[in-house]
Amino acid sequence: GDETIRCDALINAVSISAVQAMVRSPGNKGLAAKPEFQRLLRLKAVAIVAVRLWLDRDIGSGAPEHTPSNVCGGGILEELKDIGFTFYWVNELQDGLKKGGTVLEVDFYNAAPLLGLSDQQMVDLAVRALETVEPACFAGRIRLADAVDDSAVVRVPNAVSHFAPGSFGNLPRIRSSALANWCHAGDWVDRGGHRSWSQEKALVTGYQAARAAAEALVDARAGGEAASNRIRRLLDAGTMPEPLDVQPDEPHVAAGRALVRAARERILGDRA
């Protein structure tokens, strides 16, 4: 609308599609003139379809060893070619859920081909994907489809960043290089060395942006010297702690990284 809100610092924490619309808006010609924001228009987004399943029994406590968050590449099923997904044991990540049942979530990425499927078709697809990728948890012990008591399906086109080759150079830093008091947060931001991705990256950059915005207030002495000093004391006291790092790579992943790094150095030399 026509409302104007003056602020000392700003955290831009919207999706890549929303920030691109902001830059293209006729009312934001100042942003569109800055190379940092022009580069954002080169980034792409993909659709996501999220399926949450409420099961009528607890299957987590007796399941084989597993992790709460699990990333799966494309091709698990024929209809999931080039469509990856992450599935979560939600009970192990969130408190306060009903006891005696299990909540699972399956988030499909690059999921434009799935946007037209019905809710029931998406539930069936999620069940088959889980049974295929983790048969010891979901296929051998129970028939997962029989345990689904309730479900919810969310479809969002152009929701998350497309982590395509060459896109890294267009990602902005947490603290804008064009506007001193502007900070970015989201899965489309350069998280400054933290090894998080996607949803975790959005959370981590949110924490990083909050700290960067507070530092911007200190630098600008917003609110006067006394306010600036109060903010600095809060920062120094660890009130805004740094995000925890992710778990170390599994041995086979670490070995693959080392092999690729060695090959690049051998082929590219100083350009690696």
Side-chain angles (χ1 to χ4, degrees), residues 125-255:
L125 182 60
V127 166
R128 288 193 293 118
L130 290 172
E131 290 176 339
T132 301
V133 77
E134 282 281 18
C137 291
F138 302 122
R141 302 166 57 240
I142 63 167
R143 188 173 183 273
L144 189 56
D146 294 338
V148 176
D149 185 52
D150 198 2
S151 62
V153 180
V154 176
R155 303 167 183 82
V156 189
N158 300 321
V160 297
S161 296
H162 183 200
F163 303 116
S167 62
F168 180 79
N170 297 316
L171 304 182
R173 299 295 182 92
I174 298 293
R175 188 166 176 181
S176 171
S177 60
L179 299 168
N181 63 343
W182 183 298
C183 301
H184 301 287
D187 68 346
W188 45 274
V189 179
D190 177 1
R191 71 271 199 238
H194 195 279
R195 297 184 303 142
S196 52
W197 284 102
S198 196
Q199 296 180 50
E200 294 84 0
K201 184 181 181 185
L203 176 63
V204 166
T205 55
Y207 284 125
Q208 292 172 323
R211 185 177 185 89
E215 292 171 346
L217 293 176
V218 172
D219 294 344
R221 284 173 164 63
E225 189 71 26
S228 177
N229 289 336
R230 284 198 300 271
I231 296 171
R232 182 169 293 284
R233 285 196 297 271
L234 289 173
L235 291 172
D236 292 342
T239 305
M240 303 174 70
E242 294 293 331
L244 299 176
D245 199 2
V246 298
Q247 295 178 344
D249 289 331
E250 296 170 284
H252 65 283
V253 175

Side-chain angles (χ1 to χ4, degrees), residues 28-181:
N28 290 324
K29 295 186 183 301
L31 293 182
K34 300 182 184 300
E36 174 184 332
F37 290 88
Q38 292 171 356
R39 288 193 293 271
L40 290 177
L41 298 178
R42 297 176 181 167
L43 298 174
K44 298 179 180 180
V46 298
I48 181 172
V49 178
V51 180
R52 181 163 289 202
L53 306 173
W54 284 267
L55 308 186
D56 61 8
R57 66 201 75 175
D58 178 6
I59 67 170
S61 57
E65 183 177 354
H66 58 273
T67 56
S69 177
N70 305 267
V71 179
C72 307
I76 297 298
L77 299 172
E78 183 177 352
E79 54 265 67
L80 294 180
K81 181 181 179 181
D82 298 325
I83 300 175
F85 63 94
T86 302
F87 74 88
Y88 305 90
W89 296 79
V90 182
N91 301 68
E92 300 175 21
L93 297 170
Q94 298 179 6
D95 297 327
L97 294 176
K98 180 181 177 181
K99 303 298 182 182
T102 299
V103 183
L104 303 169
E105 178 153 339
V106 187
D107 294 347
F108 294 96
Y109 298 94
N110 198 28
L114 307 180
L115 291 174
L117 297 183
S118 68
D119 285 2
Q120 188 57 53
Q121 287 174 316
M122 282 308 310
V123 169
D124 294 342
L125 182 60
V127 166
R128 288 193 293 118
L130 290 172
E131 290 176 339
T132 301
V133 77
E134 282 281 18
C137 291
F138 302 122
R141 302 166 57 240
I142 63 167
R143 188 173 183 273
L144 189 56
D146 294 338
V148 176
D149 185 52
D150 198 2
S151 62
V153 180
V154 176
R155 303 167 183 82
V156 189
N158 300 321
V160 297
S161 296
H162 183 200
F163 303 116
S167 62
F168 180 79
N170 297 316
L171 304 182
R173 299 295 182 92
I174 298 293
R175 188 166 176 181
S176 171
S177 60
L179 299 168
N181 63 343

Side-chain angles (χ1 to χ4, degrees), residues 5 7-13 22 174 181-184 209 213 216-217:
I5 300 175
C7 58
D8 296 308
L10 181 144
I11 298 175
N12 180 30
M22 189 186 306
I174 298 293
N181 63 343
W182 183 298
C183 301
H184 301 287
L217 293 176

